[in-house]
Amino acid sequence: MENDSRKITIKDVAKLCGLSKGTVDRVLHNRGEVSKESRRRVLEVIQRIGYKPNINASLLASKKHYTLLCLIPQFAPGEYWELIYTGINRAMEKARDYNIGIEVIFYDQFDRESFRQAARRLLDRNPQAVMLAPIFGEDALDLTSTLSARDVPYVYIDSKLEEDGYLAYFGMPMYQSGYLAASLLVDQPDVREVANFRFDRGGDRPQDNPTSCRREGFMAYVAEKFPECRLHEDFLKPYDPEYNVRVLDAFFERHPDVRHIVTFNSRAHLISEYLEKRGISDRVLVGFDKLARNLDGLRKGSVKFLITQRAEAQVYRGITAIIEYMVFHTAPAERDNFMSMDILTKYNVDYYTDNYEF
Amino acid sequence: MENDSRKITIKDVAKLCGLSKGTVDRVLHNRGEVSKESRRRVLEVIQRIGYKPNINASLLASKKHYTLLCLIPQFAPGEYWELIYTGINRAMEKARDYNIGIEVIFYDQFDRESFRQAARRLLDRNPQAVMLAPIFGEDALDLTSTLSARDVPYVYIDSKLEEDGYLAYFGMPMYQSGYLAASLLVDQPDVREVANFRFDRGGDRPQDNPTSCRREGFMAYVAEKFPECRLHEDFLKPYDPEYNVRVLDAFFERHPDVRHIVTFNSRAHLISEYLEKRGISDRVLVGFDKLARNLDGLRKGSVKFLITQRAEAQVYRGITAIIEYMVFHTAPAERDNFMSMDILTKYNVDYYTDNYEF
DNA sequence: CTGAAAGCGCTAACAC
DNA sequence: GTGTTAGCGCTTTCAG
């Protein structure tokens, strides 16, 4: 049983085939130079006696060393992409055991040209595998088609592009997450008005922005279940607190009856901190992503629900998929992996630890 | 950099110490038989040049083979403990790479004597490590004290005992999960009455039953925030559907105004299926655990919220902790690991996949 | 207490 | 096409 199966070595296979270890190894790794007949026999025997290669021995003997390059937005401490970076760091330890080195190339998520440059640098490095967050769709497509041509496997995280060359994708179902947010916010009596605060991303085409999928999901839910509910919108700036206070003051003066608020980007804390500052406690705010400042809002009661994804888990699994592809030549069970949307409240936030391994 | 550090081998250490590989290995594994001076030198060099053992080579050369025994309740398909068992199976693959075999010993969670017998069988097997769900506290204590005496590491999952010999614990914060359930159920206007359906466990002392902690947490929240809210109770039987229908019919006849329901065990579906059957759709039900039948209730709308734990993740991490202890002699970062309480609704349930690695 | 040496199962270079 | 062989870095006898 169990125990025995572990003891079957490549030598056993060779003997049973009447061939040598070398030949068996060749078919194991599709390294060619093997006659059709030998190949058949080897595969048959492997199948029959249930041979499983010893990964430890394989890794030890292998001289191969791979480089995996990750292409993600740069970040300031506490911002969303820091979570992703954390996940990458975690995955490095694992990758090392497989002779895979991981390096990160950053770009400015608000600057398309910086993405292009980063992509060029990436290609110059000639990586054996790539993981990327394709914020600028068109340019990302240029990159990935080159990778495809070079036969370099790549996985998308966070969002993905509509093409067919990627090894896997790990991310949150954006549309559904908006739908979920709506159910949490408006699924109760007396919600006739909802406020949404957004960023104006300037020249961005909206469809390039994953958060607009969220918005669509949200609107769909409202239209479906509470068609009479009105949605108000206003625009904030990510890095201009004083401006935001003015906008919010003006908004709530104009709309004193709006009690329900939603944000689709990761900065719900812009609102929650405003509410705290103004001593407003009768608003219900739903937001996204487990930034420290958002979690704080949860604890203080100024955020009611936070919908989060296990961002570290996403990249960790993304990298795991690549490793398994490179080491075992196996594709992931699912190509598109929509990861769980977790609902955080004041009462479970403190038990929501990062769980890379799960 | 990175690359170089991987190339430092035990041989380098030996050379720099003016000793042999053998001696270095001895201090690496505290295998004694080494002079104080040699030991000091070796440790110093390791420290200085940052030597990290190559786990692949180590595992390959090692002749050690360990057995890890898991002691958990037996289950019927679809029941809670099946999730745990699934996690164990998943962990087996990983354990195999470390020359660790995992086997499971089952007991009947409603029969104390069966636990005792299982414990005896376990000890007879002389395992090198143990993972257990200590349903019967007193008897589990007997077991673990023997394990301690034998110097066999063990970890608790699901619930833990108040003692000090365990390597780690992975589970859900039961009291807090009840508190959370209450916030989800009653934190809104007009909840004046709540129904709770329980099982009568017969001779069980209530404190042996983790679900009663949940109940306490629930009551605490209600008492704190909605002291005027009344809690009704009634008892069902896990395996007697007809009896349950009668009890529920009678209950709702007596209490037509009770619109909010909570269960603390894993069988919310007993209620949700009843509600569906009777075509009752104006009740709000909150329950626990991601049994398939509970998830079904979520989808059909007869369950509003389900609070779940990543049970598979718990055992997987529990086993990982043991592996790391046995292989690397490292204790887990945290001894008590309260894992996240996830909130499931109709709108995120389908994206809540099992995520062993996270 | 320490060193030498024989593998662990697999890879990869080389010879045939 | 195929077999042979020398390691990969570490563990584990076995002498001394």
Side-chain angles (χ1 to χ4, degrees):
Chain A
M1 40 181 301
E2 195 55 19
N3 220 338
D4 301 338
S5 74
R6 280 315 277 170
K7 305 237 97 185
I8 300 176
T9 78
I10 198 172
K11 213 167 151 186
D12 299 317
V13 177
K15 202 170 302 167
L16 286 172
C17 297
L19 291 163
S20 74
K21 295 194 307 175
T23 306
V24 175
D25 189 68
R26 266 168 221 129
V27 352
L28 243 31
H29 298 84
N30 302 302
R31 234 184 301 103
E33 324 251 311
V34 178
S35 75
K36 266 208 133 59
E37 169 58 10
S38 297
R39 189 183 153 74
R40 199 194 52 68
R41 252 157 59 205
V42 169
L43 290 175
E44 189 267 324
V45 169
I46 284 176
Q47 176 70 26
R48 185 158 54 78
I49 68 177
Y51 164 76
K52 296 253 178 295
N54 180 324
I55 177 74
N56 294 126
S58 169
L59 254 13
L60 178 60
S62 174
K63 291 174 164 37
K64 292 199 184 74
H65 190 277
Y66 301 110
T67 299
L68 161 62
L69 256 32
C70 301
L71 185 60
I72 62 168
Q74 57 198 213
F75 54 83
E79 289 185 344
Y80 173 74
W81 293 98
E82 187 176 36
L83 301 174
I84 300 289
Y85 186 66
T86 309
I88 293 176
N89 275 314
R90 256 322 207 73
M92 278 185 192
E93 298 169 27
K94 172 169 179 168
R96 223 177 25 195
D97 289 341
Y98 296 94
N99 299 324
I100 297 173
I102 300 181
E103 283 167 59
V104 183
I105 297 180
F106 293 103
Y107 62 89
D108 179 344
Q109 61 172 313
F110 299 103
D111 176 4
R112 187 170 169 183
E113 183 50 32
S114 103
F115 181 91
R116 288 207 192 108
Q117 277 177 25
R120 265 192 303 272
R121 258 181 300 146
L122 183 150
L123 288 172
D124 287 345
R125 298 279 322 267
N126 243 85
Q128 277 75 50
V130 170
M131 183 175 80
L132 76 161
I135 299 273
F136 297 97
E138 230 169 290
D139 302 294
L141 221 44
D142 283 349
L143 171 59
T144 56
S145 65
T146 309
L147 292 174
S148 280
R150 290 192 193 171
D151 231 40
V152 174
Y154 57 92
V155 331
Y156 290 122
I157 54 154
D158 206 64
S159 59
K160 67 162 183 161
L161 268 27
E162 290 307 321
E163 50 101 356
D164 202 44
Y166 59 102
L167 174 66
Y169 159 67
F170 291 85
M172 189 187 220
M174 298 302 279
Y175 182 92
Q176 285 298 330
S177 73
Y179 205 83
L180 174 63
S183 77
L184 258 15
L185 188 64
V186 306
D187 209 356
Q188 44 191 300
D190 299 330
V191 181
R192 317 208 69 84
E193 300 182 272
V194 170
N196 168 225
F197 296 100
R198 314 164 61 183
F199 297 141
D200 187 353
R201 283 225 176 195
D204 255 33
R205 294 178 316 172
Q207 61 272 40
D208 275 353
N209 190 338
T211 59
S212 51
C213 284
R214 251 181 211 158
R215 201 163 156 276
E216 278 171 39
F218 187 94
M219 310 276 273
Y221 185 93
V222 172
E224 212 172 288
K225 317 239 174 172
F226 299 87
E228 74 287 356
C229 179
R230 276 191 58 205
L231 188 69
H232 302 278
E233 278 191 351
D234 216 332
F235 290 85
L236 303 179
K237 297 187 176 178
Y239 298 111
D240 191 342
E242 286 165 26
Y243 174 87
N244 294 338
V245 169
R246 266 179 283 134
V247 169
L248 291 167
D249 274 344
F251 182 90
F252 287 112
E253 193 159 335
R254 252 181 302 133
H255 304 283
D257 291 338
V258 173
R259 298 240 163 307
H260 296 81
I261 312 169
V262 64
T263 56
F264 298 120
N265 54 59
S266 68
R267 307 194 197 214
H269 59 81
L270 259 26
I271 318 293
S272 65
E273 286 159 7
Y274 166 84
L275 295 175
E276 289 163 22
K277 180 177 165 157
R278 286 281 183 260
I280 303 174
S281 60
D282 60 348
R283 299 297 194 283
V284 179
L285 170 60
V286 171
F288 288 84
D289 293 326
K290 58 168 187 280
L291 309 195
R293 289 164 76 184
N294 289 346
L295 298 182
D296 233 55
L298 231 32
R299 293 194 188 94
K300 290 184 177 146
S302 55
V303 176
K304 176 75 182 244
F305 290 113
L306 220 46
I307 298 173
T308 69
Q309 49 189 325
R310 310 210 167 205
E312 312 87 331
Q314 274 169 31
V315 301
Y316 189 92
R317 291 197 52 194
I319 292 178
T320 299
I322 295 185
I323 291 177
E324 297 194 336
Y325 182 73
M326 298 207 284
V327 177
F328 305 108
H329 308 285
T330 54
E334 299 290 335
R335 192 187 197 191
D336 291 319
N337 299 273
F338 296 102
M339 312 229 348
S340 67
M341 304 179 279
D342 295 332
I343 301 171
L344 262 43
T345 79
K346 182 176 188 170
Y347 303 108
N348 69 348
V349 59
D350 289 324
Y351 295 92
Y352 189 69
T353 53
D354 297 333
N355 218 311
Y356 297 91
E357 291 230 58
F358 281 88
Chain B
M1 40 179 299
E2 196 55 19
N3 222 338
D4 302 337
S5 74
R6 281 313 278 170
K7 307 235 98 187
I8 300 176
T9 78
I10 199 173
K11 212 167 152 186
D12 300 317
V13 177
K15 203 171 300 168
L16 287 173
C17 297
L19 290 164
S20 73
K21 294 194 306 174
T23 305
V24 174
D25 189 68
R26 268 167 220 127
V27 353
L28 242 30
H29 298 82
N30 302 301
R31 239 189 292 105
E33 325 247 317
V34 178
S35 75
K36 268 205 130 61
E37 169 58 11
S38 297
R39 190 182 154 74
R40 199 194 52 69
R41 252 158 58 205
V42 170
L43 291 175
E44 190 268 322
V45 168
I46 285 176
Q47 176 69 27
R48 184 158 56 77
I49 67 177
Y51 164 76
K52 295 253 178 295
N54 180 323
I55 177 74
N56 295 126
S58 169
L59 253 13
L60 177 59
S62 175
K63 289 173 164 40
K64 293 200 184 73
H65 190 278
Y66 300 110
T67 299
L68 162 61
L69 257 31
C70 301
L71 185 61
I72 62 169
Q74 58 199 214
F75 53 83
E79 290 185 343
Y80 173 74
W81 292 98
E82 187 177 37
L83 301 173
I84 299 291
Y85 186 67
T86 308
I88 293 176
N89 275 315
R90 257 320 208 73
M92 278 185 191
E93 297 169 27
K94 171 167 180 171
R96 225 177 24 194
D97 289 341
Y98 295 94
N99 299 325
I100 296 173
I102 301 181
E103 284 167 58
V104 183
I105 296 180
F106 294 103
Y107 62 89
D108 179 345
Q109 61 174 312
F110 300 103
D111 175 4
R112 189 170 168 184
E113 183 50 31
S114 103
F115 181 91
R116 287 207 193 108
Q117 276 177 27
R120 264 192 304 272
R121 259 181 300 146
L122 183 150
L123 288 172
D124 286 346
R125 298 279 322 267
N126 243 85
Q128 277 75 51
V130 170
M131 183 174 79
L132 76 161
I135 299 274
F136 298 97
E138 230 170 289
D139 302 296
L141 221 43
D142 283 349
L143 171 59
T144 56
S145 65
T146 309
L147 292 173
S148 281
R150 289 194 194 171
D151 231 40
V152 173
Y154 56 93
V155 331
Y156 290 121
I157 53 154
D158 206 64
S159 59
K160 68 163 181 158
L161 268 24
E162 291 307 322
E163 51 100 356
D164 202 44
Y166 60 103
L167 174 66
Y169 159 68
F170 292 85
M172 189 188 220
M174 299 301 281
Y175 182 93
Q176 285 297 331
S177 72
Y179 205 85
L180 174 62
S183 77
L184 257 17
L185 188 64
V186 306
D187 209 356
Q188 45 190 300
D190 298 331
V191 182
R192 315 208 70 84
E193 298 181 274
V194 170
N196 168 224
F197 296 100
R198 314 165 62 185
F199 297 141
D200 186 355
R201 283 222 175 196
D204 255 33
R205 296 177 316 173
Q207 62 272 40
D208 275 353
N209 190 337
T211 59
S212 52
C213 284
R214 250 182 211 157
R215 202 164 154 274
E216 278 171 40
F218 186 93
M219 310 276 273
Y221 186 92
V222 172
E224 212 172 288
K225 316 238 174 174
F226 299 87
E228 74 288 357
C229 179
R230 276 192 59 205
L231 188 70
H232 302 278
E233 277 190 352
D234 217 333
F235 290 85
L236 303 179
K237 297 188 177 177
Y239 297 111
D240 191 343
E242 286 166 25
Y243 173 87
N244 294 338
V245 169
R246 267 177 283 134
V247 168
L248 291 167
D249 274 344
F251 182 90
F252 287 112
E253 193 160 334
R254 252 182 299 133
H255 304 283
D257 292 337
V258 173
R259 297 238 162 311
H260 296 81
I261 312 169
V262 63
T263 57
F264 298 119
N265 54 60
S266 67
R267 307 195 196 212
H269 58 82
L270 260 25
I271 318 292
S272 65
E273 287 159 7
Y274 166 84
L275 295 174
E276 289 162 21
K277 179 176 166 159
R278 286 280 183 260
I280 303 173
S281 62
D282 60 348
R283 299 296 193 283
V284 178
L285 170 60
V286 171
F288 288 84
D289 294 327
K290 56 167 187 280
L291 307 196
R293 289 164 76 184
N294 290 345
L295 299 181
D296 234 56
L298 231 34
R299 293 192 188 96
K300 290 183 178 145
S302 55
V303 176
K304 177 77 183 247
F305 290 113
L306 219 47
I307 298 172
T308 70
Q309 48 190 326
R310 310 210 165 205
E312 311 87 331
Q314 275 169 31
V315 301
Y316 189 90
R317 292 197 52 196
I319 292 179
T320 298
I322 295 185
I323 291 176
E324 296 194 337
Y325 182 74
M326 298 208 285
V327 177
F328 306 108
H329 307 285
T330 53
E334 300 289 335
R335 193 187 197 192
D336 290 319
N337 299 273
F338 296 102
M339 312 229 348
S340 67
M341 303 179 281
D342 296 331
I343 301 170
L344 263 43
T345 79
K346 181 176 188 170
Y347 303 108
N348 69 348
V349 59
D350 289 324
Y351 295 93
Y352 188 70
T353 53
D354 296 333
N355 219 312
Y356 297 91
E357 292 231 57
F358 280 88

